[in-house]
Amino acid sequence: MKISDSGIYIDGIDKKILRALMEDARTPILEIARNVGISGAAIHQRIKKLEKSGLLAGSKFMINPKALGYTTMAFVGVYLDKAISNPEAVKQLQKIPEVIECHYTTGNWSIFIKILSKDNEHLMHVLNSEIQSIKGVSRTETFISLQEQINRQIKI
């Protein structure tokens, strides 16, 4: 089965492997092999093939931000004076640890960012003292997330 225009092909066995790894990247290869019905060596070879193709981009442990006291998530639309300010603004945003995502967008904002903060007071400090002081930032528009409803990867 062709999965994308980039020429990556996967079959039913690859899909089973990917689903197992997406559910828990620490699942032992031999456990996946038992569930799929092929050898551990074949699973290992297929995983290497999927990594080489670029379909698997790695695995990582996810930190629970709430365990560290980060309970406020906000999305911020950043208006810039000029489009030429984008690269420099992003460079400055990278220095702010509370900024965990940054996207160039179409529409009203030049940049759309995701921020994790400890509380509203901390968020206000990040916005007022750090983000709005970046050269080229004319203003921001902030949306506080009340509760994350969906968090998933693309379906395989």
Side-chain angles (χ1 to χ4, degrees), residues 80 83-92 94 104 111:
L80 297 175
I84 200 163
S85 303
N86 275 3
E88 184 57 34
V90 170
K91 200 172 174 182
Q92 295 304 312
Q94 285 177 326
Y104 289 125
I111 299 171

Side-chain angles (χ1 to χ4, degrees), residues 62 73 101 114 148-154:
M62 300 300 293
M73 181 185 303
E101 289 184 23
K114 182 177 179 180
E148 184 177 86
Q149 299 291 302
I150 299 172
N151 182 343
R152 64 180 172 208
Q153 293 191 62
I154 193 81

